[in-house]
Amino acid sequence: MRIPLLARANAGTLTVLIALSAVACLLVAGLPRATQASFDEALRRSLTTAPAVQTDLTVASEPRSPEQDLHERGQFASLYPQWRQIVPAALRPLLAPTGHMSAKTSRTPVAGTSGRTYINLGWLSDADQRVEWVRGRAPGPLSTTRHEGETIPLIEVGVVEEAVREMGLGIGQTKVLGESDYVAVKIVGLFKAKNPDDRYWSHHADVLHVSRQLPPGGLDFEYHVTTVMSDAGLTALSGESRHLTYRWVLPLDGRAASALAVPDVAAAVTELERLMPVQVVSPSPHRLDTGLPNLLGDFSAALASAQTVIFLALGGLLAVALGVIVLGVRLLTDRMEHPLGLARARGGSLRQVAGAGAALTALAVAPAALAGYALSFLVPGPVLPVVHAGPAVVVVTAVVFAAVRVSLAHRTPLHERRDDVAAARPSPRRVTLEVLVVGLALAGAYLLRERGLSQDPFLLLVPVALTLAAALITLRCYPYPLRLLVRLAGRGRSAVPFLGLTRAARARSASGLPVLILLPALAVSVFATVISSGIASTQVRASWQQVGAPIKVTSVGEIQASVIEKVRATDGVEQVVVAQTGRVQLADVPEWAAAIAVDMAQWQRLVAGTPISLPTLSGDTSALVSPELRGRGAFEIGWLGRPRLTPQGVIDAVPGFWSSGKFIVMSPSALPRLEVNTLLIKGDVPLAELARMVPASTVDSQERALAVIREDPLTGAVRSTLIVVTVALGLYALVAVVLSLVVGAADRTRAVSFLRTLGLSERQARRLTVLEVLPMVLVTSLVGLGLGLGLPAALGPGVDLSAYAGDLPVGDYSPDLLTPGALAAALIVAAALGAYAHTAIGRRRNLGAVLRVGDST
């Protein structure tokens, strides 16, 4: 066979096949890289934005005897290399070059304060690099002093500036610590962090800030602060007399993390916990403190949901792309049918004929696949196995289909067939297989709803099976209503409707291929559109749930009335609702709950027209309680007095404040006075201006919360992938419609030409072509549209998308029919225009060039 001659004769078809193959390979190889890059970025952002105390590997030891005490920096430093040495290989790329060490006491009371003031002793190995002394000097050597007739150690320390305001500490003060084994500290300097935003300080928040703690059953706060001392102070610390903890911190650099390595990293952390007691010689027992497994677990759960949605979309895209390429290969083999049949009749073997069809297909598909594969490397992201496998699947599918189809078409020389006379009956084997596919699809959908994807990853094939089942049912059932229309058309006076619908109902079995392409394309694209719309609407609702108002201002202290009036008078502010929040004690028992005192009627007016709704609260002493406080009857709370509240109802969440735990919503009139510390604001006003007006406050807005949710890399990966898949599938569907018209063009032209010899007009020819082509596209579009709208509701319970919607479950799949309807309408219009164009082109052909001798007699 002369392959170059065949290629030159079918240059147009080969060009279409080349374009389809190149684009398909670019998509199937490029999109996985892009999505995996988004996954990696999401993991890196999760690790770099989380507090370092959660991500870093911290080795902790609590000495209990003098033999276990470490009194010199060198003793700490000698152990640090041992911790790094036993870190498993999967964790080593994530370790930062340097770490730090610390020694701290906890709950060290100041003598004579009745346990209300605690000054803990702290040593940081890199304090000189982290703090800046603003007053006084850095701590110096250890000395002694007298207390109650005994000589005790005197340690020079520095404290954070905040301790001066909160605890009344100052330079020159000497405090005796302990209840029996005393030690004295002398404050010689005040410091502040050189970079208070450094993630390093999450390990030492007790050094940088004074903490207030309310003990169980108590009404007075305890004040805690941790000082900073020099290396000399280590000699006075002993675990025998103090609650002492040593720590070696191995920082993690999240910028080197990869989502593909998450399982290995999680296993490495577990292995490190096992190795520590047996691989390192240390004077005291030690443990590994890290929140990394929890972070990786949360990320893995969110990643699994993202992969589920993306794999469903990409799987549908690959299936449709392969179907369109197969349709293009079918067009090529149809165009080669005459020369190949002639070669077969002249003695060519079946192997030679099939080899020629496969070789010509490979000549077009292989270079195009290689070009698409090469272009995919322009997309940033790791190279996954699917990047290599996808283009190979495209080439193999196209070549194998060409070889098989040519082999079946030319089993015997000069094999004549006419499948347009009557519809072929499917074999019992084929009917059984189709029934089995439909049954498995329905059973899989039920299991997916009941068990979810986490129980069985093979359920990922369920959506594909559902679309295939719907396509098979459509393929088998759509001729029956057409036959009813044929009977009705047969009673009319015009022959065109009868002939057009008859040809549509008696379509060749191979014409089902466009159905198997169009229906998944429409279903998956509509499914992607509905899922994307559901995520977007839930994100908006989640942002309102997080903030509770267009703008929320929360202050650490009371907001004065003059400041509130100033806020009300600011340009752009439409409404301000004041509230007081805090923790309250329930009755006389050591039980605590969160509470908010707010005018619910004003709050309801402020959020009118938003996705959140608020219950009604009537009565000065009425309250709404959380489910945990249900059924208690009237109760007292300790909050600016002892108001007695009567539960009026149960509320599951308070938008902007709490969604779980114990909480109370009450009227401001139940309190003796309202100490406002929260403002709920409606209007358009710069957040920075509000932060300036209300000192020591945090300003949140619904728009900012929504932006944070949408900027998450995983969320962006899901939505961008769905958008790309929707557009690609829409284009593929249009290409499938055009190719289906071209594939049947020869038979259709021959039939129309034959009817023109019997007096068929050009206008009637156009109507006939439209009636032949349009029913298949119309029925398939409607079924695909319905399936795509139903898939989210059918599969929704098995796919958790809350990680991309502000942790709210995505259950509102209200269909937005604009995009799906436009896509279905575009396919129908394209089919109608293609039919008209086909008739116009066929009109210019000479009947003698179409009909053979004897066809018109």
Side-chain angles (χ1 to χ4, degrees), residues 15-86:
T15 302
V16 172
L17 194 56
I18 289 172
L20 291 175
S21 302
V23 172
C25 292
L26 175 59
L27 289 175
V28 300
L31 281 178
R33 293 190 64 178
T35 55
Q36 190 61 45
S38 299
F39 296 159
D40 292 344
E41 176 60 25
L43 176 61
R44 292 163 187 165
R45 180 177 295 189
S46 175
L47 295 179
T48 54
T49 57
V53 70
Q54 295 184 24
T55 60
D56 294 347
L57 305 176
T58 302
V59 182
S61 175
E62 296 176 352
R64 292 290 183 266
S65 64
E67 294 78 12
Q68 298 174 347
D69 292 338
L70 303 178
H71 295 300
E72 297 178 359
R73 174 186 288 266
Q75 293 177 297
F76 283 88
S78 64
L79 289 174
Y80 191 85
Q82 299 184 50
W83 306 131
R84 295 186 66 95
Q85 186 176 4
I86 66 171

Side-chain angles (χ1 to χ4, degrees), residues 489-505:
R491 298 178 182 179
R493 299 181 61 182
S494 176
V496 172
F498 174 78
L499 292 174
L501 294 175
T502 299
R503 286 183 58 82

Side-chain angles (χ1 to χ4, degrees), residues 39 241 326 773:
F39 296 159
S241 56
V326 165
V773 172

Side-chain angles (χ1 to χ4, degrees), residues 124-283:
L124 305 180
S125 62
D126 54 353
D128 56 333
Q129 304 172 24
R130 301 290 182 175
V131 302
E132 177 183 353
W133 298 96
V134 294
R135 289 179 57 191
R137 58 177 175 83
L142 184 70
S143 59
T144 60
T145 187
R146 301 287 296 179
H147 177 71
E148 295 184 353
E150 297 182 3
T151 301
I152 61 175
L154 176 63
I155 305 174
E156 291 187 354
V157 299
V159 295
V160 68
E161 287 183 297
E162 188 177 309
V164 177
R165 301 188 305 268
E166 298 289 336
M167 301 176 63
L169 302 180
I171 294 178
Q173 291 184 354
T174 300
K175 300 288 184 179
V176 177
L177 310 181
E179 296 176 343
S180 57
D181 192 349
Y182 298 109
V183 63
V185 295
K186 182 178 181 181
I187 301 174
V188 297
L190 303 180
F191 65 83
K192 67 177 182 179
K194 291 183 178 179
N195 182 11
D197 297 327
D198 195 325
R199 297 176 67 245
Y200 166 92
W201 288 110
S202 67
H203 287 283
H204 308 293
D206 56 333
V207 174
L208 207 57
H209 298 286
V210 175
S211 65
R212 296 194 309 169
Q213 302 177 13
L214 198 59
L219 297 177
D220 297 325
F221 285 101
E222 298 175 350
Y223 290 84
H224 297 251
V225 71
T226 299
T227 61
V228 171
M229 62 183 183
S230 65
D231 294 354
L234 288 173
T235 59
L237 294 185
S238 174
E240 186 177 24
S241 56
R242 308 270 179 247
H243 297 293
L244 180 61
T245 303
Y246 300 144
R247 291 183 176 88
W248 293 261
V249 179
L250 282 65
L252 255 67
D253 185 1
R255 295 172 296 178
S258 169
L260 294 174
V262 165
D264 295 335
V265 171
V269 175
T270 303
E271 179 69 8
L272 182 59
E273 292 178 336
R274 185 190 68 81
L275 290 176
M276 277 188 177
V278 297
Q279 294 291 333
V280 177
V281 179
S282 176

